[in-house]
Amino acid sequence: MTYAVRYYTKTGNTKKLADAVAAELGVTAQPISKPVTEKVDLLFLGNSYYAFTIDPEVRKFVASLDKEKVGKIVNFGSAAMLNSTYKKVKAEADKVGIPMLEEEFHCKGEFKGIHKGKPDQEDLKAAAEFARKIKQQFED
């Protein structure tokens, strides 16, 4: 199995999660400004809500993905107010024909004093555990 981790963040919260996920998978987390040029079985994509939707940069990144190079997308992220970005990311992934795993990871993220200190060490540990479970699921 091959893995890649890409993320988009404005606050640094999703980068923290991406680094925890990547460490568990044995890869380096990269921002979405770095295209996926290698063939990967699972692309872990970190993102969040901004103004009640995913950022246009995330849409552009997903649109740039090659279904011959990316097997499946695994969604993860954090947000202060809203929860999962799964449906929004899946709508974009469907346009390029890349399936998404139904499992995803999400936790609270600090924003303007809301959820101070989030994601915390427990959240990072949970993100790594999530990646470990997905990895085991596909390698068994």
Side-chain angles (χ1 to χ4, degrees), residues 34-55:
K34 179 159 177 27
V36 177
T37 56
E38 69 280 12
K39 187 165 176 40
V40 296
D41 296 306
L42 294 176
L43 169 62
F44 285 74
L45 178 58
N47 60 94
S48 185
Y49 274 103
Y50 298 101
F52 303 103
T53 192
I54 56 175
D55 195 273

Side-chain angles (χ1 to χ4, degrees), residues 87-114:
K87 288 180 182 177
K88 300 275 186 187
V89 175
K90 185 174 184 327
E92 299 305 314
D94 286 348
K95 292 176 187 175
V96 292
I98 299 175
M100 284 186 62
L101 237 55
E102 287 185 24
E103 298 95 334
E104 68 171 335
F105 179 82
H106 183 271
C107 69
K108 294 296 181 193
E110 181 176 344
F111 181 70
K112 294 188 177 185
I114 300 170

Side-chain angles (χ1 to χ4, degrees), residues 11 13 16 78-80 108-119:
T11 62
N13 294 333
K16 291 176 189 175
S78 67
K108 294 296 181 193
E110 181 176 344
F111 181 70
K112 294 188 177 185
I114 300 170
H115 307 298
K116 199 124 182 90
K118 295 292 217 166

Side-chain angles (χ1 to χ4, degrees), residues 56-82:
E57 291 298 314
V58 175
R59 280 193 177 82
K60 195 163 92 176
F61 173 76
V62 175
S64 77
L65 296 173
D66 181 347
K67 70 179 181 179
E68 300 302 318
K69 290 189 178 175
V70 177
K72 292 185 178 187
I73 296 172
V74 183
N75 197 55
F76 72 92
S78 67
M81 304 298 269
L82 301 173

